[in-house]
Amino acid sequence: MTGIKEVAARAGVSVGTASRALSGNGSVAAGTRKRVLAAAQELNFVRSYNASSLVTGRSRIIGVIVPSVDRWYFAKVVAGISGELITVGYDLALYNIFADRDHQDAVLEDFLMRQRLDAVVPVSLELTPEELTRMLSIRRPVVGIGGPMPSVPTIGIDHFAAGSLATAHLLGLGHERIAHVSGGIDPYRDFKLTDQRQAGFEKEMKKAGVPVRPEWIIASDFTLQDAYNKARILLAMPERPTAVFAASDEMAIGVILAARDLGLQVPHDLSVVGIDGHELGETFGLTTIQQFPRQQGQQAARKLLQKLSKKVMPSEEGNETGGSDMLTIGESLPSGNLHELLDTKFLVRHSTAVPRRHARTAERL
């Protein structure tokens, strides 16, 4: 069976360089990498990750922790991570905590400690300092997706700015009777994103001198069905809004369906805007702020691969060198903001329009 030494000899490079070129880890010139890959193909070389893990101490497995894998956002993030890892021969171990404290504790205190992982990606998890210290104590790189965490590189969007932009759009069209469908409160996973999006909404309303009506602030659970049920009550009020800003696209679609069932036309009787970039948004003509979750997953995976290549590099003899600056249990978390905000895109479709002036909606608050 052809080994890496034969591939290195055919390509005219050292075994260490051939290993880095084949694994995708470490700095290798593009021309050299191409030469190594060509040699491997010519010799029908198949890399044994089980064998290399014995030498390098790596499992080539990345752990990803999500609150609920059956939700659109998390599924897209996982798809982005998986697609990026598979190109360099890494596997993905998925931990689905079901937004349950017991499941989360089990993952952080048991599974992560037992499983040999090269790195970890927590997605939209609100971790206590003790939980974060425990995660870092496995001495593996961590990159989070969602909100900032002390000492950990994280990726997300500006939720406050998204809420402000969505509300400013409705105000700019002339709406003053604007409701907000919030995502409610989830202490385990949301990094207060619902609070931030609502704060952006309230800031724009105050800036425009338009009062926020408490009865028009509706807490839902980020699902289409629950938002639909809540919106039927909202839109059946004697005084109803002419526009709704929903904190997610699925909730926005729930609002649109409720409006249709009540005989309201979108956008002539009711304008609706969401946040996400969900594929269903195009079907419903939904105006939205796209946050590109698949790209968030890809970016997190790239950051992890960069950290892995810098932290531990194969030596010419095949052994790994270098250390880790991860925490051990009992150490305090360093301060510092390593949160990277990714770009969003405001997409105007036909679910928003200038409000229709008629007897029922012309009354000023």
Side-chain angles (χ1 to χ4, degrees), residues 5 40 44 48 52 67 79-80 92 102 114 125 127 129-130 152 156 172 180-181 184 236 251 343 347 353:
K5 290 183 178 180
N44 294 319
S48 171
S52 65
L92 183 150
D102 291 338
R114 288 194 291 108
L125 292 180
L127 301 177
E130 294 77 15
V152 173
H180 176 50
V181 180
M251 293 193 296
D343 291 337
L347 184 58

Side-chain angles (χ1 to χ4, degrees), residues 308-323:
L308 286 168
S309 67
K310 291 176 181 177
K311 286 291 177 188
V312 187
M313 297 290 293
S315 68
E316 293 300 308
E317 290 76 27
N319 296 320
E320 299 219 278
T321 62

